[in-house]
Amino acid sequence: MHILQNEHLIIESKNSGAELTRIFCKKQNKEILWSGDSKYWGRQSPILFPIVGKLKDNTTIIEDCTYTMGQHGFARDLDFELIQVDNNSVSYRLVSSETTHSLYPYDFELLIKYTLIDSEVRIDWNVVNKDSKEMYFSIGAHPAFNIDNSLSDYYLEFKSRDNISQITLNGPYSDKDFVLEKLNTLLLNPDLFANDALIYTNIDEITIKNNKDESFVNVNFTDFPLVGIWTPYYKDSNSTAPFLCIEPWYGLADSVDSDGQYKNKKYINTLDPSECFSVSYSISVG
C-alpha cells in the first residue's frame, strides 16, 4: 500500500490493479472513496483495460484469432510495478507478458499515475503501443464514492458539451442512443439503476451533491467520450448499495448486434506503433 497526504487529503493505492483504495478528507473527517465491502462490491476504483464493459459471450476476434476476456478486461486483476513515488505522486506500470498475450495479442505498456494537488487527485493514463502493428484498445475508470443514508438525498450536477446522448443497455450490452436536449441536474433515486448503469456521451464534469450539507465530490473528465454512472440495484427492496460510481470511459460494452470483431467495437481507440495515448481526469473534494 502506498500513501500520499497533504493538509487536505490522504490517498492510498496498491500494486494490485494499480487501484486507488482510499481518499480521506481531513477537513470533513470523512472517507470519500468506497471501502470495497464485498457484501455489495469488492472493488473500489478499478482500471478498465483493454475493454470497458462486457464482450458478447466474453469473446472477441482480433486478427482472426478468438480471445476470451471477462468484463472490464484484465488490468484490474494483475500486479503493476511501482516505478516512482515522491511526496505528491505515485506511478505504476503494467507491461504485456505471456499472461496478457493469452487474452490480448498486443505488446503494450500501461502507465498509471496518481498526483495529490491540494484537495484534488489527478489520475494520468498513458497507453503505449510497443507492437509493430496498429493496436486497438479501450480504457476506463470506475471510482466508487460513499453515499451516506439514502441515495435520494443526493443529486448530480453536470457540465457538458453539445449533443448529449444517453446510451441504453440491453442486459450487459449497449443498445440504443437517445439525444437529450440538456442535462444540468439529476435527482437520484434507486429506480434510476433498475436497468444497470446510466451512460452518457459528451459530459465533461459531474459533481455529487447532497441536500444535507454543502459537501461535494467532483469528477472532471473533460473531452472523454463517455461516462457511466452506476450503483448496484436490489429489486426486492427497491434500494441500492451505499456508494455511487462515476466512470469516465474511452470505450463501451459490445453492442447487442456486435459482429464480434474487436476493431469494430463502438468507441474503440487505435494507436500506431510506438505511439502513446495520454489522458487524465481528476477527483476533487469540497
Side-chain angles (χ1 to χ4, degrees):
M1 196 69 67
H2 307 287
I3 302 172
L4 301 174
Q5 63 177 309
N6 60 19
E7 62 180 306
H8 303 284
L9 301 177
I10 302 171
I11 68 170
E12 297 181 7
S13 59
K14 61 183 180 180
N15 291 61
S16 178
E19 187 171 3
L20 188 65
T21 57
R22 189 186 191 199
I23 303 175
F24 177 80
C25 179
K26 293 182 177 180
K27 181 179 179 180
Q28 299 177 35
N29 191 30
K30 181 179 179 181
E31 298 288 352
I32 303 300
L33 201 67
W34 168 242
S35 67
D37 184 349
S38 59
K39 175 183 176 181
Y40 298 99
W41 187 56
R43 302 182 189 267
Q44 296 172 269
S45 184
I47 294 160
L48 318 181
F49 177 89
I51 59 172
V52 170
K54 191 173 178 65
L55 300 171
K56 289 193 77 173
D57 301 320
N58 290 325
T59 62
T60 192
I61 299 168
I62 306 175
E63 297 181 352
D64 298 325
C65 293
T66 300
Y67 295 87
T68 299
M69 267 189 281
Q71 185 170 1
H72 295 321
F74 52 74
R76 62 183 185 168
D77 297 316
L78 297 179
D79 285 337
F80 284 61
E81 175 191 2
L82 176 68
I83 59 171
Q84 178 273 331
V85 61
D86 58 32
N87 289 336
N88 300 312
S89 67
V90 59
S91 299
Y92 300 91
R93 176 170 57 201
L94 179 68
V95 179
S96 52
S97 63
E98 287 186 10
T99 298
T100 67
H101 286 155
S102 68
L103 303 167
Y104 177 72
Y106 302 110
D107 288 324
F108 68 87
E109 185 177 67
L110 174 59
L111 302 167
I112 307 297
K113 182 178 183 180
Y114 300 106
T115 304
L116 192 54
I117 308 167
D118 296 328
S119 297
E120 174 184 298
V121 185
R122 176 187 167 106
I123 301 96
D124 289 279
W125 299 333
N126 286 275
V127 181
V128 185
N129 182 0
K130 294 289 189 177
D131 217 306
S132 59
K133 55 185 175 293
E134 188 177 39
M135 170 180 153
Y136 295 85
F137 72 96
S138 296
I139 189 167
H142 204 313
F145 303 103
N146 283 321
I147 292 294
D148 300 322
N149 302 317
S150 170
L151 182 69
S152 299
D153 290 336
Y154 290 78
Y155 64 97
L156 303 180
E157 288 187 351
F158 297 83
K159 289 186 179 179
S160 61
R161 285 156 266 158
D162 295 331
N163 303 317
I164 306 165
S165 292
Q166 182 171 0
I167 300 173
T168 62
L169 292 171
N170 187 336
Y173 307 116
S174 61
D175 195 359
K176 298 176 182 177
D177 293 20
F178 294 94
V179 176
L180 304 179
E181 289 186 7
K182 61 180 180 178
L183 185 60
N184 297 324
T185 60
L186 181 66
L187 302 179
L188 296 177
N189 65 78
D191 290 333
L192 288 172
F193 302 97
N195 193 43
D196 209 340
L198 307 175
I199 302 172
Y200 299 105
T201 68
N202 292 338
I203 303 296
D204 284 330
E205 188 176 306
I206 295 178
T207 305
I208 305 172
K209 294 187 173 183
N210 68 59
N211 299 313
K212 303 297 184 181
D213 56 42
E214 296 182 353
S215 64
F216 67 85
V217 175
N218 174 271
V219 186
N220 183 293
F221 44 95
T222 301
D223 294 332
F224 275 60
L226 296 159
V227 64
I229 304 168
W230 175 76
T231 184
Y233 173 78
Y234 307 106
K235 182 177 180 180
D236 290 347
S237 58
N238 188 36
S239 64
T240 57
F243 64 83
L244 184 71
C245 294
I246 306 295
E247 308 174 37
W249 293 340
Y250 271 86
L252 185 63
D254 272 1
S255 61
V256 291
D257 57 356
S258 168
D259 64 4
Q261 295 287 337
Y262 188 69
K263 67 179 182 180
N264 293 338
K265 284 174 62 65
K266 292 182 178 179
Y267 296 96
I268 198 74
N269 308 284
T270 62
L271 277 176
D272 289 329
S274 301
E275 190 177 12
C276 179
F277 169 91
S278 299
V279 72
S280 67
Y281 76 98
S282 66
I283 299 166
S284 57
V285 181

